Amino acid sequence: MPYVTTADGAEIFYKDWGTGRPVVLSHGWPLNSDSWEAQQLFLASNGYRAIAHDRRGHGRSTQTWHGNEMNTYADDLATLIETLDLRDLTLVGFSTGGGEVARYVGRHGTARVAQVVLVSAVPPFMLRTDDNPGGVPGEVFDAIRAGSLADRSQLYRDLADGPFFGHNRPGAGVSQGVRDAFWRQGLQAGHRGAYECVAAFSATDFRADLDAIDVPTLVVHGDDDQVVPFEVGGQASAARIKNATLKVYPGAPHGITDTHKEQLGADLLEFLNS
C-alpha cells in the first residue's frame, strides 16, 4: 500500500486513482479515505487524478501519540502534496477535512492550489467563545469526549444512527450499510488520535486561514446539518472567503458525501471543469 513519510516519521496512507489534474480529498472525523470512495471513483472516472489519504491517527496511517492537531494535520497534507509533486490541484475538505484544507492554505499558501472546496466543513470556528457568540457550546464537545472515553464504539453507532446522516429525521432512508461503514471507519481510528481530534475540529479558529484563501472556492453545506450547523459552518465560511460560491442543499444532513453523493459529484465536476 502507498504511504508518504512525514517529518516525525508518521506513515500517511493514501489512495491514488485515475489520471489528469489532481484533486486531493481530506476526510472527516472519525473517518478515513474510504469515506470519499464514491467521489473518488466518480472523479477518477471523469478525467481527474483523485487522491485521498488517511489522516494520522485514522484508518491505515500511523497512530501517533503526538501531533493530533490541525497544524500537524496540515503539514502532513503538505508532505503528501510535495512528495507526489502535485500542482494546479483542487483541495476538497469534508467536515474536519475542511479545517485541514483551510489550515494548509494558512500555513503553506496556494502556490500549488488552483481551487478549494469545503463540504459540510468546520471552518470558520465551531466553538462558542466571547468573540464567536454564534458558535456551538463547549458542552457539546465535552459530551463527545466523554462518550469516547466511556464507550466509543457506541458513540460512533449513535452518531451514525442519529445526527450524522440525519437518520433521526422522519422519513430518513439511510441504509444500515452506510451507517455500519461509519462505525467501522471510526473504530479503525486510534483511540487517542480520535479523542484529541475532537478539540482539533471544534476549538481551532480558522478565520485567518479562510482570509488567506485567494483561489476560486466552492462551499457546499446542507441546511439541516446537525453536526456543523449551516449558520456556523458553510454560511459563515462563504461570507468570509473572497469570491466564494455557496451551494446549499435544502434539508440535507452533515454526511452528504453519502446521502447526496450524486448531487455532490455533479457539483464537484462542474466546479472542477470551470
Side-chain angles (χ1 to χ4, degrees):
M1 293 190 294
Y3 291 86
V4 297
T5 305
T6 68
D8 67 352
E11 297 288 317
I12 304 299
F13 170 81
Y14 69 96
K15 300 188 235 182
D16 190 345
W17 296 356
T19 59
R21 193 163 68 79
V23 182
V24 176
L25 303 149
S26 292
H27 64 79
W29 174 92
L31 305 173
N32 59 54
S33 58
D34 292 350
S35 65
W36 278 119
E37 63 183 15
Q39 291 74 36
Q40 194 175 9
L41 179 62
F42 177 76
L43 294 175
S45 300
N46 281 276
Y48 287 90
R49 180 183 177 188
I51 301 164
H53 65 291
D54 292 356
R55 185 173 301 114
R56 70 166 59 212
H58 298 68
R60 288 137 293 203
S61 293
T62 304
Q63 295 185 10
T64 56
W65 187 253
H66 299 291
N68 303 302
E69 35 72 28
M70 279 294 164
N71 287 348
T72 303
Y73 296 159
D75 292 349
D76 291 349
L77 178 58
T79 296
L80 176 71
I81 290 168
E82 291 162 14
T83 300
L84 300 182
D85 194 23
L86 304 178
R87 300 178 186 275
D88 194 31
L89 74 144
T90 299
L91 286 174
V92 185
F94 167 75
S95 194
T96 299
E100 181 179 288
V101 165
R103 182 53 51 92
Y104 169 86
V105 172
R107 287 174 69 83
H108 300 277
T110 56
R112 292 175 178 264
V113 180
Q115 297 170 306
V116 167
V117 183
L118 301 178
V119 180
S120 305
V122 298
F125 188 18
M126 281 198 74
L127 184 64
R128 180 179 294 172
T129 61
D130 289 344
D131 71 340
N132 190 44
V136 178
E139 294 78 13
V140 172
F141 307 113
D142 291 340
I144 295 173
R145 280 185 283 264
S148 181
L149 293 177
D151 186 346
R152 76 184 186 111
S153 180
Q154 189 60 48
L155 170 69
Y156 300 156
R157 179 69 71 197
D158 292 343
L159 287 169
D161 290 345
F164 194 91
F165 298 112
H167 195 65
N168 55 351
R169 298 303 197 208
V174 184
S175 74
Q176 187 70 55
V178 165
R179 290 178 281 134
D180 285 351
F182 179 99
W183 173 80
R184 173 186 62 82
Q185 289 176 53
L187 289 180
Q188 283 184 279
H191 193 6
R192 179 177 168 91
Y195 180 87
E196 291 198 325
C197 189
V198 177
F201 74 68
S202 65
T204 303
D205 185 345
F206 299 102
R207 289 176 288 192
D209 303 301
L210 296 189
D211 293 343
I213 297 177
D214 57 0
V215 295
T217 301
L218 173 66
V219 179
V220 182
H221 217 104
D223 67 5
D224 191 32
D225 190 328
Q226 301 171 69
V227 177
V228 182
F230 170 65
E231 296 79 10
V232 174
Q235 186 179 61
S237 286
R240 190 167 191 108
I241 300 168
K242 294 182 289 290
N243 300 316
T245 298
L246 174 63
K247 281 189 176 287
V248 182
Y249 289 9
H254 187 63
I256 57 177
T257 52
D258 285 296
T259 63
H260 290 65
K261 62 184 180 182
E262 292 87 1
Q263 183 178 358
L264 179 60
D267 287 337
L268 287 173
L269 189 61
E270 180 184 27
F271 183 66
L272 287 163
N273 290 339
S274 69

